[in-house]
Amino acid sequence: MESRFAMSSLGSPIVDRRAFLLAGAGAAAAGLLPRSGRAEAPCAEYNLTAASAQSPILGASRPWTEVWSYNGSIPGPEIRVRQGEPVRINVRNGLSEETTVHWHGIRLPNNMDGVPGLTQRPIAPGETFTYKFTPPDAGTFWYHSHSNSLQQLGRGLTGPLIVEEAERYPVDRDLVWMFADWRLTTDAQIASGFGNAMEAAMSGRVGNTVTVNGAISSGEQVHAGERIRLRLINGALARIMALRFEGHRPVIIAVDGQPCQPHQPPNGRLLLGPAMRIDIVLNLRGKPGHHYAVRDDFYENLAYTVTHLNYSANAALRTARDDNDVPLPGNPLPEPDLQGAEPHQIVLQGGMMGGGMMHGMGGMSGMAHDASWSINGHSMIGDGQASMPSLLTLPRGRSIILKMQNKTAWWHPMHLHGYSFKLLRRNGTPVPHRQWGDTVLMAPKDNVDVAFVADNPGKWMLHCHITDHQVSGMMSVLDVR
Ligand code: C2O
Ligand code: CU
C-alpha cells in the first residue's frame, strides 16, 4: 500500500501518467506489480526496459521532452522490496548503445554491481541481463545506468530503490522525492554538449530545470497534523542541493539509507550532493490552506524554489505529535575495528582554479588524455573498463580507514561501491549522530576519514558522483580479496 501512497502523492501531471500506467495493460510490463507475488513467491521480480521515450517534464501542456527512461517513466518505476528478501530485475536494453545498471548503495555481490567491463559484460542493444541480489540493509537507495553515464544519467536513466524495514516506521505517509536536474533548450529538449571539458574541470554539467519525481513541481499536497517520512534522493548529474523547508523543522533519520541518530540539520539546511539520500521526518505543523516553499540555496545568489508543501484547507488531523525522535532500527553493518584498521590516503587533485590554471595534478604518468582530475596521481576516465588497474588491494575481512583529502577548489561527493562506510572525522572533528554513508560530500580542501570492514570481495569503484568529474579522471578501483 505504501507504494500507492507514494504514487498518488506525486505532482499532478505525473499522477495522471502513473495512474495511467498502473491501470493500463502495460502495468505488468512496467514492473509495477511486484507485491502481488510476494506472499506466494520468495522473490520479487521486476522488469525494466531502457529506451527512449517522451516525458512531460515541464507539464503536459508544454512540449514533451525526449528522454531515455526505464519503462517510459521519469524517473524509472519505484522498486520497493523488503530487507533480506531476494529480488530479480530483468533489464532489457532498448537503447541503440550498450548499458548496465548500478544499484547504488546496495551491498551486493560484485558481479551484480553493474560496472561495464569491470564487473560484467555490458548489455548490448536488444539483450536482457538479470540482476539478482538480496539487500541486507533497509533504506533509501536508487538505481542508475553506469554506461556512458554522462548521457545515460543526464537523459533520465535513474529510479528509486526502496528497501523496507521489517516493521513500519511510525508515520502517516512515506513519500519519495527524487530530484533530477536537466539542461533544457527553449523547446524543452535536452541540450547537447555533454562532456564539455571546461565544465568537467569545474562544477560539471549543472542544468537549468530541477524536477521532483520527473516533472517541475508545484507542490506536495499535505494535511495539517500529519507526520510524514520524506525520502530525498539527489539523482542529478552534477547539481549539489541545500534544501530548506520554510516554516518546518525536518529531522534527519537516515543518510544514504543508513539510520543515524535523529537530529536536525545544522541551520535547518539539508546538504544533498549528487547520489546522496536523506530520510527526514516532517511534523506538519503549518496552517491549513497555506503553502510553504522548499528552497535550494546551495549556489550563491542562485536560490530557487524546488517545490511547496501545500496544506489542504482541512483542520488538523490531530494535535501535533512530538515523537519524531524515534530512531530507525539499525542495519547489520559490520563495525570496523578502528585500532587494528589499515589506513590509506586518498588524495583528490585537479580541476580549474580561479585563474583558469590546472593545478596540482601530481605525476603526469597516470594521466589519460582529457583528464581533469586525479586520485593519488592517477586518472581513470570513462565509466568502467575491463583493464582498470586497482589503486589499492585490500585484504578481505580487514578494517580499512580511507583518509580522503580534497586538494581541489571544488566539491566532490565521493562514492564507494559495494559498501557503506562509517564517517569518522571531518577536518579532525568527529562526525556526530553515528553517520554511515556510501557517498560523502567533500567541500573544497576538506579532509574526511571513513572506515569500513572489507568483507565484500571484488573490484569496487571509488569515484566522484559529479558525473563529469568521474568520467574525466576522478575514479579508481579498490580490489578486496
Ligand atoms: Cu551511483 Cu558508480 O555510482
Ligand atoms: Cu567531483
Side-chain angles (χ1 to χ4, degrees), residues 102-105 113-115 142-146 149 153 274-275 277 383 415-417 438-439 461-465 470 475:
H102 172 57
W103 314 94
H104 184 116
D113 196 44
V115 180
W142 66 300
Y143 61 94
H144 62 78
S145 159
H146 215 289
S149 305
L153 257 88
R277 289 88 63 212
D383 306 277
H415 170 48
L416 175 60
H417 285 214
D438 53 60
T439 308
M461 286 257 169
L462 170 69
H463 66 81
C464 178
H465 223 290
Q470 175 205 325
M475 175 163 64

Side-chain angles (χ1 to χ4, degrees), residues 202 373 410-414 464-466 469-470 474:
M202 301 174 71
W373 305 93
W410 301 89
W411 291 73
H412 305 288
M414 296 301 296
C464 178
H465 223 290
I466 289 180
H469 295 179
Q470 175 205 325
M474 198 170 276

